[in-house]
Amino acid sequence: MDLSELGSAPLPLVGGKALNLGKLTAAGFRVPRGFCLTTVAYRKAAPAELDALAARLDSAQSGSWNDDKADDGEPGRPGLAQPGPDLGELARQAREMIVTAPIPADVDAALRGAYAALGSRATVAVRSSATAEDLPFASFAGQQDSFLNISGADAVVESARRCWASLWTERAVAYRAANGISHRDVGLAVVVQDLITATSAGVLFTANPVTGTRTETVIDASAGPGQAVVSGSVDPDHFVVDTATGRVLLRSPKGTAGRRRPSLDDARIRELTALGDTVQRLFGAPQDVEWVIDAAGRIWVTQSRPITTLYPLPDPAATEDLGAEAGTDADPRVYLCGTLLQGLTRPLTPMGLSVLGSMRNRNGPWRYVNPGLRMYVDVTAMVRNRYGRRYLLRMLPLADGRSGAVFPALLDDPRFGVRKRQSRRARRGAAGRQAPRQPGTGSGAAGNRAGHDPGTMAGLGLTVRLIPALVRAAVRPSAELRRAFDYGNRLQTELVLPEPATTFGRLDHAQRILENTVDGLILATLPGPSVGYLMLAWARRLLRGIAAPRELEAVLRGLPNNVTTEMDLELWQLAVTIGAHAASREVFLAHGPRELAALYKAGSLPAVAQTGLHGFLDRYGHRAVAEIDLGMPRWSEKPDHILGMISNYLHVTDPEQAPDRQFARAEEHAEARIRSLVERTRVRSRIRARLVEFCLRRTRQLSGLRELPKFYIILALAEMHRQLNAIGIELARSGAIATADDVYFLEFDEVRVGLRGADLKGIIAGRHRIYDVELRRRRIPRLLLSDGTDVEAAVMAKSPASGALAGTPASAGTATGTVRVILDPVGAHLEPGEILVAPSTDPGWTPLFMTAGALVMEMGGVISHGAVVAREYGIPAVVGVPDATTRLRTGETVTVDGSAGTVRQVDAPLSPATAAGSLAG
């Protein structure tokens, strides 16, 4: 097929590269002439045995799990596959089949005839065009081979064969496996084009691929052919350009003294920038464009593919599907990632996002968006207000050290300068001009700004009602404790749905839980911990000049009335019981978490283990890893994680490393610190000493309740999850969705439509694609601008970090031990005293803390969940360490200094026992 015929060709026939070249040709761009040998030719040439081998590859990648690691429990899909150990050999066999198979005569004749039409001795480029290539979610850049300076029909035929074979290189097979693409579904077309003799060539990106900024074009250029730039064999000229104006913002290398002339002058840079912008408009998304300039000065486009690594733009109007890319906002805005503040790097299911959106938008003026299926809060108004700036400068370092570190740079951006407050009349006029919120998006973008909207007034009313509750908690803490725990008993009763129930009745019940729970839960559980931390703040003020602020951290160790700590200690006690029972211990040591879960569900564990685990799950089975996401399976239905933790605990043999002993030491340390602080204050003033003791005692009595609001929220979410599971089964039975778990890729209104008979599989498939892409994303912007800029990446691009691993000090003490990098706590193994290195943590991770020697996290600040729990357990912690999970490797030895905020690699390895013995502070 001639390139001019490809603009509307189906992707499975011509592949991604050829299809995009066809669209460019049809749109009038200057593209080298040529043709496409379609995938029909590849199918004819591929031997029949190749399909069976591709099926073996699919099977190998889906069955290559570590036996000790359960799948990640993704709703509606198995965990992401990792290529098995025989992948390389199977890929080699596939290539051998292609290389040795004869090319059918009709394919050979068609290829030679099309080449002859270009000229009998034409010099051409022969390029692969795979059906799984240049896709919106996976570019496959460089995964298949292309060949330049090919001349002669025999050489063209042989190059086409080599392109076919490159579909089965180990790198291409591994890339497909990592992106969840079946090897049986792929094919490969071949593009043959005139080779343009280049005076200069290169690549341009219509959005900045490092910072994500959509308003910048990035150009890499070099004299001669572009392959040198693409392959990285030359050091190209590098230009960053403002797309709208063509102004060069950055050029590297700078100047021309003592070196060759730049490959592009400013006029050419502007011309290429405009070209890239036009290409982007054609495809409707940021593009990676390869280009060539010939001796006559003409610019040729040789390839265009989507930039697949950009984080999706925030969508303030929420008109796009959940998690999808949106257009840039004319008024620049700043968004803070609330998901990261909750300790989650993973995306949330659409149902989970919708439910959280309904909860968060009931109270307060906040505006939220959900790019990449993660929660972001719009903090633009605070950034443009001098009091809001002060608050963020003070609080961000506590919540997330890395956000706090880059936030000052954002304040220097003139787009976010302090603005004068609008008059009341102007605010009313602006509110009246706002567009109505689009239904079914769950993002709450409109209608919840500050002003007279219902959410703001409801939030104000709730605040007023909280004031007497705070006073009551301070005066009568014991009564406050009883009130908080009594509320939990009432909540459990209210959550029960009388059976039998209809499917619509279950849906109504799930929605009522959401509507009826939030306000009562806040009033019942928030006053206690709020007073506890207020008392700590007052104690810190009273101790000025007497004790350093960080000395008070010890007071928060071993806090009573913390439901998460109590859960962890109960799990430890269950492990002790199992370890003392020979038959139970033998079963746990002989099987992985998945096998143990199957035995438990079958009722086949030894009686001691079966009964003990049932009791634990009866109390805590509503919890989960990433538990704020309604779509995540609860421990009661998937106990693999808990069973893995019990197995880990069975390896603790040193009594001093036992979690209950560590917790007791933390309590003793806290009490000793209180006595010390009171005695030091008494030297100054006896009254002041009494006030310090009063504040610190209240702190210990009430601060542990901080986990209770979330505990009860998760209890409510678990009941909603149970009802939605039943609804999902009914929807799958009726054919509205493919599997029961797909219900979590819908919102409540859509579920109701599905129950009335609508086919929702198409909607779900699109959301699954977004979700799967986001599951594989490793870098999540913590501060994101509406033009796509990742603020941290932009700051780091201007001043790269040094080789040292440094973060935010989160829990004092030092520990030297062996690194264990864990990306998912489900089924994870951690030896006593090992250094836990994780992206972030939530309560589902805390059982691992019980045996960790220290904690290192990529995310978080001193008040993030992992930091607080580390202090309570008395283990050193450093949080906000950029790229810790990739810069540190399992098995190497490091020293974690929780006071200095450093992680230092050491040469001499220590045993876990020695590492644990080095805990201090």
Side-chain angles (χ1 to χ4, degrees):
M1 295 179 67
D2 190 271
L3 288 186
S4 61
E5 303 171 349
L6 299 182
S8 58
L11 176 69
L13 180 65
V14 298
K17 183 183 281 98
L19 179 59
N20 287 355
L21 287 171
K23 289 180 177 179
L24 288 164
T25 302
F29 289 90
R30 188 178 288 112
V31 176
R33 65 174 183 150
F35 62 88
C36 173
L37 184 67
T38 70
T39 57
V40 173
Y42 168 79
R43 304 284 182 201
K44 283 188 172 186
E49 298 82 7
L50 185 61
D51 190 59
L53 193 144
R56 287 179 61 195
L57 275 168
D58 283 346
S59 176
Q61 75 182 47
S62 64
S64 62
W65 296 97
N66 182 326
D67 289 341
D68 290 334
K69 178 172 173 53
D71 68 69
D72 61 4
E74 294 306 329
R77 63 190 292 278
L80 293 177
Q82 300 297 324
D86 56 347
L87 179 145
E89 174 58 24
L90 292 175
R92 187 197 64 76
Q93 292 177 25
R95 290 196 303 276
E96 187 71 18
M97 287 182 183
I98 293 292
V99 169
T100 57
I103 297 178
D106 57 339
V107 173
D108 184 86
L111 180 54
R112 291 175 183 273
Y115 172 71
L118 296 179
S120 59
R121 298 301 299 175
T123 301
V124 295
V126 182
R127 311 171 74 193
S128 300
S129 179
T131 56
E133 178 180 75
D134 295 354
L135 304 176
F137 62 91
S139 71
F140 278 77
Q143 300 304 316
Q144 280 83 45
D145 291 340
S146 294
F147 304 95
L148 305 180
N149 294 306
I150 304 301
S151 181
D154 290 342
V156 169
V157 171
E158 183 57 29
S159 296
R161 185 201 296 272
R162 291 166 67 190
C163 285
W164 290 337
S166 72
L167 187 64
W168 299 99
T169 61
E170 188 168 346
R171 68 176 183 271
V173 169
Y175 193 88
R176 288 197 294 272
N179 284 278
I181 296 173
S182 170
H183 302 289
R184 284 172 287 185
D185 295 340
V186 295
L188 192 132
V190 177
V191 175
V192 179
Q193 290 177 280
D194 280 335
L195 188 70
I196 304 299
T197 302
T199 58
S200 60
V203 181
L204 72 83
F205 298 90
T206 64
N208 192 316
V210 175
T211 67
T213 307
R214 304 304 201 273
T215 58
E216 292 178 355
T217 296
V218 176
I219 302 173
D220 282 356
S222 179
Q227 189 65 23
V229 174
V230 175
S231 66
S233 60
V234 299
D235 184 20
D237 295 323
H238 179 74
F239 308 95
V240 179
V241 188
D242 180 81
T243 305
T245 64
R247 182 169 62 92
V248 179
L249 305 174
L250 173 71
R251 61 178 83 231
S252 177
K254 298 177 181 178
T256 59
R259 62 179 302 273
R260 60 175 173 77
R261 291 180 55 194
S263 52
L264 300 173
D265 59 24
D266 283 7
R268 279 296 192 198
I269 292 171
R270 287 192 294 272
E271 189 176 358
L272 283 167
T273 300
L275 172 69
D277 188 47
T278 309
V279 172
Q280 175 173 293
R281 292 177 189 276
L282 171 67
F283 289 104
Q287 296 289 299
D288 165 359
V289 182
E290 295 181 18
W291 53 270
V292 170
I293 299 177
D294 65 16
R298 295 172 298 184
I299 300 177
W300 299 80
V301 179
T302 58
Q303 181 166 311
S304 184
R305 56 179 169 240
I307 307 174
T308 60
T309 57
L310 298 172
Y311 197 81
L313 286 177
D315 181 4
T319 56
E320 302 293 328
D321 198 4
L322 282 166
E325 173 86 7
T328 54
D329 192 354
D331 182 27
R333 309 201 70 80
V334 185
Y335 300 99
L336 176 66
C337 187
T339 303
L340 288 182
L341 296 183
Q342 285 289 324
L344 294 182
T345 56
R346 64 182 304 122
L348 276 69
T349 58
M351 179 64 81
L353 268 177
S354 175
V355 167
L356 288 179
S358 298
M359 291 171 62
R360 69 199 178 199
N361 288 330
R362 287 174 59 82
N363 300 293
W366 299 106
R367 179 188 186 197
Y368 296 88
V369 290
N370 299 321
L373 293 172
R374 294 173 179 88
M375 299 183 299
Y376 280 81
V377 58
D378 188 339
V379 295
T380 313
M382 297 187 73
V383 171
R384 289 174 173 159
N385 178 283
R386 67 176 183 272
Y387 300 110
R389 286 182 167 214
R390 290 175 189 172
Y391 176 81
L392 290 172
L393 284 168
R394 185 171 66 253
M395 294 304 298
L396 270 184
L398 301 177
D400 181 64
R402 287 166 62 182
S403 296
V406 301
F407 183 69
L410 182 67
L411 302 185
D412 295 332
D413 189 327
R415 294 176 297 170
F416 302 109
V418 173
R419 291 185 178 179
K420 291 183 178 180
R421 184 176 174 83
Q422 285 182 311
S423 68
R424 183 176 299 176
R425 178 179 298 177
R427 290 200 302 274
R428 281 201 301 266
R433 291 190 298 270
Q434 281 198 9
R437 179 177 177 269
Q438 295 291 325
T441 60
S443 100
N448 62 340
R449 294 180 189 263
H452 292 295
D453 81 79
T456 301
M457 300 308 294
L460 181 60
L462 184 61
T463 301
V464 171
R465 293 165 66 193
L466 274 173
I467 293 174
L470 293 170
V471 174
R472 187 176 60 221
V475 175
R476 301 182 60 200
S478 297
E480 182 62 29
L481 289 170
R482 286 195 302 272
R483 187 177 295 106
F485 290 118
D486 286 346
Y487 172 81
N489 296 329
R490 292 199 309 276
L491 177 63
Q492 286 184 298
T493 302
E494 293 168 2
L495 291 175
V496 174
L497 174 67
E499 297 286 356
T502 66
T503 307
F504 279 102
R506 296 184 188 281
L507 185 59
D508 291 339
H509 178 65
Q511 288 190 279
R512 280 197 303 271
I513 289 174
L514 191 62
E515 294 166 0
N516 299 338
T517 301
V518 177
D519 288 358
L521 188 149
I522 291 173
L523 283 169
T525 61
L526 199 59
S530 299
V531 168
Y533 280 96
L534 283 172
M535 290 291 180
L536 182 66
W538 290 339
R540 183 175 290 115
R541 181 177 293 271
L542 289 167
L543 288 164
R544 283 181 180 175
I546 298 172
R550 297 208 63 178
E551 289 189 68
L552 272 73
E553 288 180 5
V555 174
L556 297 175
R557 291 189 172 181
L559 286 173
N561 304 314
N562 185 319
V563 287
T564 300
T565 302
E566 291 169 359
M567 177 190 73
D568 294 340
L569 291 172
E570 283 191 44
L571 186 62
W572 164 251
Q573 288 301 326
L574 176 58
V576 170
T577 301
I578 289 172
H581 185 257
S584 297
R585 180 181 178 87
E586 183 178 346
V587 169
F588 270 77
L589 293 179
H591 297 88
R594 186 183 297 178
E595 295 170 305
L596 289 170
L599 290 171
Y600 171 71
K601 290 179 180 178
S604 302
L605 289 174
V608 168
Q610 187 78 24
T611 303
L613 186 59
H614 183 273
F616 179 86
L617 292 176
D618 189 52
R619 291 184 294 278
Y620 302 108
H622 63 284
R623 308 209 73 167
V625 175
E627 60 190 0
I628 65 169
D629 184 355
L630 181 62
M632 294 302 291
R634 308 291 116 175
W635 288 341
S636 57
E637 58 188 306
K638 188 175 178 57
D640 306 46
H641 174 51
I642 294 302
L643 293 162
M645 291 300 97
I646 293 172
S647 297
N648 279 348
Y649 289 164
L650 294 179
H651 291 87
V652 178
T653 56
D654 183 353
E656 290 303 304
Q657 288 186 338
D660 55 351
R661 181 72 192 101
Q662 292 189 38
F663 188 77
R665 283 200 302 267
E667 285 184 303
E668 294 165 3
H669 190 179
E671 290 296 327
R673 181 59 54 87
I674 289 176
R675 290 193 297 271
S676 171
L677 292 172
V678 171
E679 287 300 321
R680 287 154 61 185
T681 307
R682 188 171 285 119
V683 175
R684 297 273 188 97
S685 166
R686 298 180 69 85
I687 294 176
R688 193 173 180 182
R690 287 179 183 176
L691 288 173
V692 166
E693 184 170 18
F694 174 83
C695 290
L696 295 181
R697 293 296 174 196
R698 287 291 190 270
T699 295
R700 284 197 57 77
Q701 198 168 7
L702 295 173
S703 296
L705 291 176
R706 66 178 177 79
E707 291 285 334
L708 203 56
K710 186 176 182 182
F711 185 84
Y712 289 157
I713 288 172
I714 301 307
L715 194 65
L717 291 180
E719 175 58 21
M720 296 171 69
H721 182 89
R722 191 173 74 86
Q723 299 301 337
L724 284 169
N725 278 350
I727 294 168
I729 292 171
E730 175 60 26
L731 286 172
R733 186 196 62 76
S734 69
I737 62 179
T739 68
D741 284 345
D742 281 346
V743 71
Y744 296 108
F745 286 82
L746 300 170
E747 298 182 22
F748 279 115
D749 289 345
E750 294 165 339
V751 172
R752 200 171 294 276
V753 171
L755 290 174
R756 295 192 180 107
D759 187 339
L760 303 172
K761 291 191 283 289
I763 294 173
I764 290 168
R767 291 176 183 172
H768 261 302
R769 282 192 291 272
I770 295 173
Y771 186 79
D772 292 349
V773 168
E774 291 305 321
L775 270 179
R776 292 187 289 271
R777 190 182 298 280
R778 290 298 302 275
R779 181 176 180 84
I780 315 301
R782 44 203 0 98
L783 280 169
L784 180 66
L785 303 188
S786 53
D787 67 0
T789 301
D790 177 340
V791 175
E792 183 182 38
V795 170
M796 297 299 291
K798 294 178 180 177
S799 54
S802 66
L805 276 75
T808 301
S811 181
T814 61
T816 299
T818 303
V819 166
R820 176 78 65 173
V821 176
I822 297 178
L823 303 180
D824 186 340
V826 179
H829 180 72
L830 187 73
E831 290 287 341
E834 286 186 325
I835 309 300
L836 171 59
V837 179
S840 61
T841 64
D842 71 353
W845 288 74
T846 55
L848 287 167
F849 287 31
M850 305 286 273
T851 55
L855 170 69
V856 178
M857 293 199 312
E858 292 182 331
M859 316 297 176
V862 296
I863 62 170
S864 60
H865 180 270
V868 172
V869 175
R871 289 195 294 273
E872 290 183 5
Y873 288 178
I875 62 174
V878 180
V879 300
V881 181
D883 304 319
T885 60
T886 54
R887 297 171 69 185
L888 296 173
R889 289 180 170 78
T890 296
E892 66 180 318
T893 304
V894 299
T895 295
V896 177
D897 187 333
S899 301
T902 60
V903 182
R904 181 173 54 84
Q905 295 169 305
V906 297
D907 297 328
L910 296 179
S911 67
T914 305
S918 67
L919 294 177

